[in-house]
Amino acid sequence: MNSKQNRISAIAQIINDEIVRSQQDIISKLNERGMDITQASLSRYLKEIQASRIPDGSGGYVYKLPDNQNSKSHNTIAGEVVSLEFVGQSMIVVRTGGGYANAVSAIIDSRNFPQFAGTVSGDDTIIIVIRDGYSRKQIKHTLINEFPNMKDKFVNE
């Protein structure tokens, strides 16, 4: 394994085995293992392994990995979507439960939908930018096909 693969494996192991609340926690734990990493590299690796910060139930956040990186875990996190609202022809505003916007946004981005130029997320809100040439009906069909639990969450369609 190359050093990148070693670091990614160590990051995943740390997230699975320990309670990790911040990127600094991960960097410190990697340093304890003799691995140096920059925050920028860590951020890229976290995105690559689809790690997300989710609420821990006591007002804080912890990093978690999707279960087996499968669509069942993705649909569980996507189940945190409260509503989807089209804004004009080029955007969708997605509301999530508190703290879940980043995780849901990462899942949407990981699907590489050709219809979406990208997402921007906050704590409980995501903006999806839609590329030209796609109708609301096409977008809605794509999202429901990929995430069936979003079917009844559209507020203006």
Side-chain angles (χ1 to χ4, degrees):
M1 267 196 287
N2 69 32
S3 60
K4 175 184 173 184
Q5 290 170 324
N6 286 335
R7 288 190 300 266
I8 288 174
S9 178
I11 292 165
Q13 182 180 18
I14 289 167
I15 291 171
N16 281 329
D17 295 347
E18 303 181 41
I19 295 173
V20 183
R21 299 188 181 282
S22 69
Q23 288 187 9
Q24 189 56 51
D25 287 347
I26 298 170
I27 290 171
S28 295
K29 293 176 186 305
L30 289 170
N31 288 340
E32 289 170 9
R33 296 176 182 205
M35 296 179 167
D36 290 326
I37 189 170
T38 65
Q39 187 277 327
S41 292
L42 175 60
S43 186
R44 280 192 306 275
Y45 297 154
L46 290 170
K47 184 172 182 173
E48 188 172 324
I49 63 175
Q50 298 177 348
S52 299
R53 282 183 74 208
I54 62 170
D56 66 1
S58 63
Y61 295 90
V62 293
Y63 277 94
K64 292 290 181 192
L65 294 172
D67 301 331
N68 299 326
Q69 306 274 329
N70 65 22
S71 57
K72 181 178 180 188
S73 66
H74 285 171
N75 278 326
T76 301
I77 293 173
E80 291 296 326
V81 170
V82 174
S83 68
L84 296 101
E85 179 179 359
F86 285 97
V87 179
Q89 292 298 316
S90 62
M91 286 193 292
I92 303 173
V93 173
V94 181
R95 304 267 186 216
T96 69
Y100 281 95
N102 233 358
V104 173
S105 184
I107 292 166
I108 292 168
D109 287 341
S110 74
R111 295 297 206 271
N112 294 317
F113 293 114
Q115 302 93 323
F116 302 150
T119 63
V120 179
S121 62
D123 182 62
D124 64 356
T125 306
I126 303 165
I127 295 173
I128 301 174
V129 179
I130 302 168
R131 288 194 166 101
D132 290 340
Y134 293 97
S135 70
R136 288 181 175 192
K137 185 176 180 178
Q138 289 171 312
I139 299 298
K140 184 176 177 181
H141 176 76
T142 297
L143 287 171
I144 291 171
N145 192 46
E146 192 72 20
F147 308 106
N149 52 4
M150 290 185 184
K151 181 179 181 184
D152 299 321
K153 310 271 176 107
F154 287 86
V155 297
N156 62 345
E157 281 300 303

